[in-house]
Structure formats: structure tokens, C-alpha cells
């Protein structure tokens, strides 16, 4: 029971148990009465990448699916929101704190968000690694086309004016099977560690919901490493070593039993040069071709964004004046004869700070969107698998040249066709996808019932969340 509670801070908080201490009979009896679904609430496969958003009690009051609903449902909103009944002002906060709207075009204010995330956002169970989102990354993630200043929500301490909590949203046109929702993508919920007992997470979620409603956005998509009521899909993280020795030094990649460091270094060695003819960095002139290819490719999945030209420019061609500020890299394959774009792939960068190590950071590349014309023509799975393996191997080579240490990918899209072949190892983190105020039947996440790559079923998820 203590182990369960240590993995489930939301539940421990609900039961009033500190640090897994079950000395009180009342806490023990309460835990014994809980169902498995209650216990699973807030429980990550392992704490890595977990975002403990709130307890089950809060989610019971929200327009989301309840645990245990197995029958196929008619898809659509849980409720129709009456705009007249949406509060025009934020709800109350605990004494000493106040709502603010952050101006992320202001260098000082975006630096405040950076500092809050750096000190208090996602870290692993052992506190060895901590996401280190750059200011450039935050601008890319939070100032996307159609962004609203009102959706960058902060909480300040009234006396010190210190930013102590944050939540954000950006607009997304999200197709769920045959229905396109004008929704928000909610992310970066972060609360100062000293305020975790104040139950601020539900309050922040209610406030971002209120602000979305005021702009007539009734649905949202969000992800979490913890189990909440109720995921529409579950994917799994996979990691591919690019600099195995460094990853081993910092404790990310242990030495397998019976192996030697030189064997591991040799195992993950990559060619010096890419193999795909016509592969080059994506340019402005490629935008229309990439948009067309990506739209057709994403139609193959049950849930995917519907991109505009402006969004393709922002998400795939986002570059700053300094190379140090680049956060996303995109490449196309141009047919040398027809000059058409036949394939493209992209990845983005998130650094993690390393605590107590000779290395200060890990540079991680995350596989982003990709597409190939092979998937749009009559093909066998073997043909698509061969093409994707070739493209992803080139992506690994390019990432290695850009001094990335590890390449991460989820089991979404067609990733199941290349993860194991390209020597990605299964991670201990899962990413659950959730829809707010929208009933949807489950969507395959690329893993089977044993949490292994499901190459036969693949995934119905075509949304890559940052």
C-alpha cells in the first residue's frame, strides 16, 4: 500500500497520507475500500514524465469519461455550454495569491515562465533529470498561429509578485475520426513545489477552461504521464541512444547485464552520411507541397490535427537568427527527376538538465511530424516499413551530427514499423491522451495489451503533443 501511494501523490493527498505513511487505521481502511480504478488514478507506469494534474475527485465533476465505461458510445460533446452562464471573472484563489495574464511577447515575463518550468515542471522519480525548455522553445510552443494572450494564465504571490503557477493553451483544429473540432491544446500546467498542497491544479484547469469557453472553444486535448479519467489513447515512450557513453554516465542508459561499454557504443553506431537521394533541409518553397503531403498522410489516423499553411510554416520552419535558438528541424526528399516532394520528416529539441553529474544537460531530439507518398499509394506494409526505416535512420544520422544525445519517439502514427528495427528501447514512461468535453471511442496507441509495440495494429493517433 505504501508503494502504491508513493507512486500516486494525488491519491495520497486525497487520503491525507504524508509520504506513504499508513500508520493511521483510518488511512489504511480508506485505501482498502478503494476500487482498482481509484488506485490507478494518478498512477504513472513510473514517475518519469508524470504530470500529476489533479485527483480523481476533481475529475468526477468534469465533462470527461468515467472509468469502466466499456460499451461503444456515440461520439460528441458531453455538454453544450451556455455562453451566458460562463463566469466573466476568474474564480477565487487562496489568500495571498492572484490571477495574472502573462505577456509572452515580453522578454521578462517569458523568462519568468521559463524559470518556473525549469524549477518545478516535470522531472523523474529520482530527481536526476529535469526538462529545461528554452525561451525559444516556449515562444515556438505558445505563440503559434491564432494564439491568445488570455490563454497564458499565471498565478502570482501578491506580496512578492513571484510567479508561482502557470497553465497555457493554444488553438488547434483537431479531427476526431470524421468530426473536426475547433479546440484548444492545453499544456505546461506547472505549480511551485511549495504550493503543491494548495490544490491549485483543479483551480488552474477550471480557469483555462473558463477562458476557452469565453472564446467559444468548447473542447480541449491534453496529455499526461498519469492515469486520469479516462484516456482516449495510451502511447509509450521509446528512446534511441545517439551518445550511449554520455547517457550511461548520467544514469539514463544502464549497462545491460553481461555487456561491455564498447559493445553498446558499437551497437548504436550510425553511418556518417545519410542514404536517401534527394534529402535536404526543408525550405519556404516546400511549404505547399509539405502541407498537401502531410494533410493526406494524417487522414489515415483516427485523431489528427488539420494544419493550415501558416501552421506548417510555424511548426516546421521555425528558425531564429541564432543557430543556438533553433528548436525544430525539418527535411524533405525531392525527386531528382520530377522535382516533387515525396517525403518529409521533422524533429524538435528539448534539453534536460542533469542533476549531480559531470554532464550538465542531455540534448534530446523528439520525432515530430513526418509523411511519405508510399503510404498514399497502393502499398504493402512491408513497403511502408522499408521506406520509414530508411527515412528514420537518416533522421538519426542528422540528429547525431547536430550533437543530440538521444532520439525519443512515441508509439503513435506509423512508428511501430521502425522503433525496434532502429534500435529504440522501450522507456518506462507512458503518455496518455485525453479529450475534454468530448466523448470518443478508444483509439489505438501503438501498444498491445502487454504494453509492447503493436506492429500489426499500429496507432490511430496522429497528434504529436509537445
Amino acid at each position: 500500500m505504501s508503494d502504491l501511494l508513493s507512486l500516486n501523490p494525488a491519491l495520497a493527498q486525497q487520503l491525507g497520507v504524508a509520504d506513504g505513511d499508513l500508520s493511521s487505521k483510518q488511512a489504511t481502511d480508506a485505501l482498502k475500500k478503494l476500487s482498482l480504478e481509484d488506485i490507478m488514478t494518478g498512477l504513472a507506469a513510473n514517475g518519469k514524465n508524470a504530470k500529476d494534474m489533479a485527483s480523481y475527485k476533481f475529475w468526477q465533476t468534469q465533462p470527461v469519461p468515467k472509468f469502466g465505461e466499456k460499451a461503444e458510445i456515440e461520439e460528441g460533446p458531453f455538454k453544450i455550454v451556455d455562453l451566458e452562464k460562463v463566469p466573466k471573472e476568474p474564480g477565487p484563489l487562496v489568500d495571498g495569491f492572484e490571477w495574472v495574464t502573462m505577456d509572452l511577447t515580453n522578454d521578462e515575463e517569458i523568462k519568468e515562465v521559463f524559470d518556473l518550468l525549469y524549477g518545478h515542471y516535470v522531472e523523474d522519480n529520482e530527481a536526476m533529470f529535469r526538462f529545461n525548455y528554452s525561451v525559444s522553445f516556449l515562444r515556438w510552443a505558445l505563440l503559434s498561429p491564432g494564439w491568445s494572450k488570455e490563454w497564458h494564465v499565471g498565478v502570482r504571490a501578491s506580496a512578492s509578485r513571484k510567479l508561482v503557477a502557470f497553465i497555457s493553451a493554444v488553438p488547434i483544429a483537431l479531427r476526431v475520426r470524421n468530426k473536426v473540432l475547433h479546440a484548444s491544446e492545453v499544456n505546461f500546467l506547472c505549480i511551485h513545489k511549495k504550493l503543491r498542497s494548495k490544490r491549485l491544479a483543479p483551480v488552474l484547469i477550471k480557469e483555462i477552461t473558463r477562458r476557452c469557453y469565453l472564446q467559444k472553444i468548447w473542447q480541449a486535448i491534453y496529455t499526461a504521464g498519469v492515469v486520469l479519467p479516462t484516456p482516449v489513447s495510451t502511447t509509450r515512450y521509446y528512446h534511441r541512444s545517439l551518445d550511449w557513453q554520455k547517457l550511461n554516465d548520467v544514469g539514463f542508459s544502464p549497462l545491460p547485464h553481461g555487456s561491455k561499454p564498447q559493445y553498446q557504443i558499437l551497437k548504436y553506431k550510425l553511418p556518417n552520411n545519410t542514404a536517401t537521394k534527394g534529402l535536404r533541409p526543408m525550405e519556404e518553397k516546400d511549404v505547399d507541397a509539405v502541407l498537401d503531403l502531410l494533410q493526406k498522410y494524417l487522414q489515415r489516423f483516427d485523431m489528427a490535427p488539420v494544419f493550415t499553411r501558416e501552421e506548417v510554416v510555424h511548426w516546421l520552419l521555425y528558425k531564429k537568427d541564432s543557430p543556438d535558438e533553433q528548436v525544430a528541424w525539418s527535411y524533405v526528399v525531392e525527386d531528382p527527376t520530377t522535382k516533387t516532394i515525396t517525403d518529409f520528416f521533422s524533429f524538435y529539441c528539448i534539453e534536460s538538465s542533469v542533476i549531480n553529474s559531470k554532464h550538465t544537460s542531455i540534448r534530446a531530439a523528439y520525432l515530430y511530424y513526418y509523411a511519405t507518398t508510399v503510404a498514399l499509394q497502393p502499398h504493402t506494409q512491408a513497403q511502408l516499413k522499408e521506406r520509414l526505416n530508411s527515412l528514420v535512420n537518416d533522421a538519426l544520422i542528422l540528429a547525431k551530427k547536430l550533437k543530440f544525445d538521444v532520439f525519443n519517439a512515441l508509439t503513435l502514427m506509423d512508428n511501430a514499423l521502425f522503433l525496434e528495427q532502429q534500435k529504440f528501447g522501450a522507456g518506462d514512461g507512458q503518455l496518455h491522451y485525453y479529450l475534454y468535453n468530448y466523448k470518443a471511442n478508444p483509439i489505438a496507441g501503438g501498444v498491445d495489451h502487454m504494453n509492447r509495440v503493436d506492429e500489426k495494429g499500429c496507432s490511430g493517433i496522429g497528434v504529436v503533443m509537445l
Side-chain angles (χ1 to χ4, degrees), residues 224-349:
V226 293
V227 180
L228 303 166
T230 298
V232 68
S233 187
T234 294
T235 60
R236 188 175 184 181
Y237 276 105
Y238 273 70
H239 311 284
R240 208 288 186 184
S241 297
L242 299 176
D243 185 341
W244 183 86
Q245 187 61 65
K246 181 176 177 181
L247 296 176
N248 178 252
D249 289 345
V250 301
F252 186 86
S253 296
L255 180 67
H257 181 70
S259 185
K260 295 179 180 178
Q262 57 265 38
Y263 294 165
Q264 295 303 111
I265 293 167
L266 190 62
K267 175 182 176 180
Y268 294 111
K269 186 174 173 57
L270 287 160
N272 291 324
N273 299 305
T274 56
T276 306
K277 290 181 180 177
L279 179 66
R280 59 171 174 78
M282 181 179 168
E283 301 172 25
E284 183 82 37
K285 67 179 182 179
D286 304 316
V287 170
D288 290 322
V290 167
L291 174 61
D292 182 61
L293 177 58
L294 183 57
Q295 284 177 331
K296 290 174 179 174
Y297 182 79
L298 292 178
Q299 280 292 333
R300 301 166 56 251
F301 303 102
D302 292 331
M303 186 165 74
V306 181
F307 284 115
T308 64
R309 189 183 195 281
E310 188 183 7
E311 287 169 333
V312 166
V313 171
H314 177 84
W315 294 119
L316 300 180
L317 276 179
Y318 187 81
K319 290 183 174 68
K320 305 302 287 183
D321 296 336
S322 166
D324 294 339
E325 293 188 329
Q326 188 168 347
V327 293
W329 288 259
S330 301
Y331 299 84
V332 296
V333 179
E334 183 180 49
D335 186 292
T337 307
T338 64
K339 301 300 180 185
T340 56
I341 301 301
T342 59
D343 317 80
F344 98 93
F345 59 77
S346 56
F347 50 85
Y348 62 89
C349 171

Side-chain angles (χ1 to χ4, degrees), residues 150-447:
E150 292 296 315
W151 289 3
H152 300 150
V153 185
V155 174
R156 287 193 188 280
S158 301
S160 67
R161 308 306 300 156
K162 185 178 178 65
L163 183 70
V164 295
F166 182 75
I167 192 170
S168 69
V170 294
I172 179 174
L174 180 70
R175 179 181 55 77
V176 182
R177 296 190 171 93
N178 297 320
K179 179 74 184 267
V180 177
L181 309 175
H182 293 283
S184 59
E185 185 178 307
V186 178
N187 207 344
F188 300 109
L189 168 60
C190 182
I191 298 165
H192 194 288
K193 288 175 182 175
K194 290 183 178 178
L195 299 178
R196 298 279 166 88
S197 63
K198 300 286 187 185
R199 301 292 297 129
L200 276 176
V203 181
L204 284 163
I205 294 165
K206 285 180 182 176
E207 177 58 14
I208 196 71
T209 301
R210 185 190 72 84
R211 295 187 183 206
C212 288
Y213 283 170
L214 287 176
Q215 296 196 24
K216 299 183 180 179
I217 300 297
W218 317 120
Q219 279 80 37
I221 181 172
Y222 53 100
T223 56
V226 293
V227 180
L228 303 166
T230 298
V232 68
S233 187
T234 294
T235 60
R236 188 175 184 181
Y237 276 105
Y238 273 70
H239 311 284
R240 208 288 186 184
S241 297
L242 299 176
D243 185 341
W244 183 86
Q245 187 61 65
K246 181 176 177 181
L247 296 176
N248 178 252
D249 289 345
V250 301
F252 186 86
S253 296
L255 180 67
H257 181 70
S259 185
K260 295 179 180 178
Q262 57 265 38
Y263 294 165
Q264 295 303 111
I265 293 167
L266 190 62
K267 175 182 176 180
Y268 294 111
K269 186 174 173 57
L270 287 160
N272 291 324
N273 299 305
T274 56
T276 306
K277 290 181 180 177
L279 179 66
R280 59 171 174 78
M282 181 179 168
E283 301 172 25
E284 183 82 37
K285 67 179 182 179
D286 304 316
V287 170
D288 290 322
V290 167
L291 174 61
D292 182 61
L293 177 58
L294 183 57
Q295 284 177 331
K296 290 174 179 174
Y297 182 79
L298 292 178
Q299 280 292 333
R300 301 166 56 251
F301 303 102
D302 292 331
M303 186 165 74
V306 181
F307 284 115
T308 64
R309 189 183 195 281
E310 188 183 7
E311 287 169 333
V312 166
V313 171
H314 177 84
W315 294 119
L316 300 180
L317 276 179
Y318 187 81
K319 290 183 174 68
K320 305 302 287 183
D321 296 336
S322 166
D324 294 339
E325 293 188 329
Q326 188 168 347
V327 293
W329 288 259
S330 301
Y331 299 84
V332 296
V333 179
E334 183 180 49
D335 186 292
T337 307
T338 64
K339 301 300 180 185
T340 56
I341 301 301
T342 59
D343 317 80
F344 98 93
F345 59 77
S346 56
F347 50 85
Y348 62 89
C349 171
I350 299 180
E351 286 200 5
S352 288
S353 296
V354 182
I355 318 299
N356 300 325
S357 170
K358 66 179 181 181
H359 301 285
T360 57
S361 67
I362 293 288
R363 264 172 66 85
Y366 284 73
L367 183 61
Y368 199 32
Y369 287 98
Y370 61 84
T372 173
T373 51
V374 172
L376 310 180
Q377 303 156 351
H379 68 278
T380 64
Q381 191 180 48
Q383 289 171 316
L384 179 58
K385 182 174 180 176
E386 181 181 8
R387 186 59 173 176
L388 290 177
N389 271 277
S390 174
L391 291 170
V392 172
N393 192 252
D394 281 348
L396 295 173
I397 293 167
L398 291 164
K400 175 74 173 175
K401 286 179 181 290
L402 289 165
K403 302 288 191 272
F404 284 97
D405 303 309
V406 62
F407 202 106
N408 297 330
L410 288 157
T411 54
L412 41 69
M413 294 201 283
D414 288 312
N415 295 6
L417 297 179
F418 58 75
L419 288 172
E420 292 180 339
Q421 290 76 9
Q422 295 304 316
K423 301 176 185 173
F424 283 77
D428 51 15
Q430 290 179 306
L431 193 67
H432 307 285
Y433 278 72
Y434 300 91
L435 293 172
Y436 188 90
N437 193 23
Y438 196 79
K439 291 177 281 190
N441 289 296
I443 297 172
V447 287

